[in-house]
Amino acid sequence: EAGVTQFPSHSVIEKGQTVTLRCDPISGHDNLYWYRRVMGKEIKFLLHFVKESKQDESGMPNNRFLAERTGGTYSTLKVQPAELEDSGVYFCASSQGWGPSYNEQFFGPGTRLTVL
Amino acid sequence: LAKTTQPISMDSYEGQEVNITCSHNNIATNDYITWYQQFPSQGPRFIIQGYKTKVTNEVASLFIPADRKSSTLSLPRVSLSDTAVYYCLVGDPRGGGFKTIFGAGTRLFVKA
């Protein structure tokens, strides 16, 4: 079974440009999460989808970030316009939310975003 | 969510048992304790989760005392490939998911 995939693996853009990151969760996982790690910092939660609905978006840093999950399948995270401090690694994770291991989250490999 | 405290780093040798302790003094009644492992350039990977006493799987054991204010991840006979960062997280996973808060983690370095 395929794991969580993220695209692109790397993205280098200039300040002020727009970037869209994509996450494909494991098939059948209703829960989808976005996290990011900026240089030298801890992994921080951004938001949580349950199917297509935003369950918790308390970690979104500001309104330059927009996450969507149309149809409850893949999700996109758009940064517009990008700023230097947005550089970091963006992780996506998904979980079933039920079963023997409560909310075991499966993480993707991350997208490394560099804003110049 | 309960804050966790772990050692910043630990060193070990191949074949040894490694125990990483995490403090979570403010753990709530409904909180579970979960450990993740992360290798460089990869996303975190679930290792084990527990609520109380002891949990064991094919990878590790998790020991949780009665007061649940701490927990210990035990890795038996580590190998070089166990060199990674280990995160202890505490939260209520029921109801379809929960916000996962990662701390700084413990960087384990296994030497030959």
Side-chain angles (χ1 to χ4, degrees):
Chain A
E1 180 182 359
V4 176
T5 58
Q6 294 186 244
F7 182 83
S9 57
H10 294 84
S11 181
V12 181
I13 62 173
E14 294 188 351
K15 176 182 173 180
Q17 290 186 321
T18 297
V19 63
T20 299
L21 313 181
R22 172 170 171 144
C23 169
D24 285 80
I26 293 173
S27 177
H29 282 193
D30 288 341
N31 296 285
L32 187 149
Y33 308 81
W34 284 98
Y35 299 85
R36 76 171 179 177
R37 166 185 274 151
V38 296
M39 183 68 72
K41 301 290 187 179
E42 299 167 1
I43 298 173
K44 296 291 187 183
F45 167 86
L46 295 179
L47 88 160
H48 168 209
F49 283 99
V50 177
K51 297 184 179 180
E52 68 275 8
S53 299
K54 293 176 184 176
Q55 182 79 7
D56 181 350
E57 53 184 327
S58 61
M60 295 288 265
N62 51 60
N63 58 12
R64 295 186 293 103
F65 290 74
L66 175 65
E68 295 180 321
R69 192 183 182 196
T70 306
T73 54
Y74 71 91
S75 174
T76 58
L77 179 65
K78 179 188 289 187
V79 185
Q80 180 183 29
E83 298 289 344
L84 299 178
E85 63 265 25
D86 299 331
S87 294
V89 181
Y90 290 75
F91 292 104
C92 174
S94 71
S95 74
Q96 289 181 318
W98 50 271
S101 291
Y102 279 115
N103 194 49
E104 174 181 345
Q105 294 189 26
F106 295 83
F107 282 77
T111 293
R112 182 173 296 278
L113 174 65
T114 302
V115 183
L116 303 175
Chain B
L1 295 177
K3 179 178 178 178
T4 60
T5 303
Q6 314 173 225
I8 297 294
S9 64
M10 294 180 69
D11 288 345
S12 182
Y13 288 93
E14 281 190 292
Q16 289 187 330
E17 177 185 77
V18 171
N19 296 307
I20 306 175
T21 297
C22 177
S23 297
H24 27 80
N25 292 317
N26 298 321
I27 190 168
T29 302
N30 295 330
D31 286 344
Y32 279 68
I33 301 153
T34 310
W35 286 80
Y36 282 83
Q37 173 192 56
Q38 186 179 26
F39 298 112
S41 302
Q42 294 186 24
R45 182 175 74 100
F46 174 94
I47 301 175
I48 197 166
Q49 184 177 76
Y51 183 79
K52 62 180 179 181
T53 62
K54 177 184 175 182
V55 180
T56 298
N57 61 23
E58 65 277 7
V59 176
S61 294
L62 179 59
F63 298 92
I64 305 169
D67 67 6
R68 306 200 324 122
K69 293 184 182 299
S70 67
S71 59
T72 299
L73 174 72
S74 181
L75 306 172
R77 298 179 299 282
V78 295
S79 63
L80 297 177
S81 62
D82 292 317
T83 295
V85 179
Y86 292 82
Y87 296 96
C88 165
L89 300 97
V90 173
D92 184 351
R94 298 172 303 166
F98 70 108
K99 183 166 66 177
T100 302
I101 295 181
F102 287 82
T106 297
R107 187 173 298 277
L108 173 66
F109 185 69
V110 180
K111 296 177 279 190

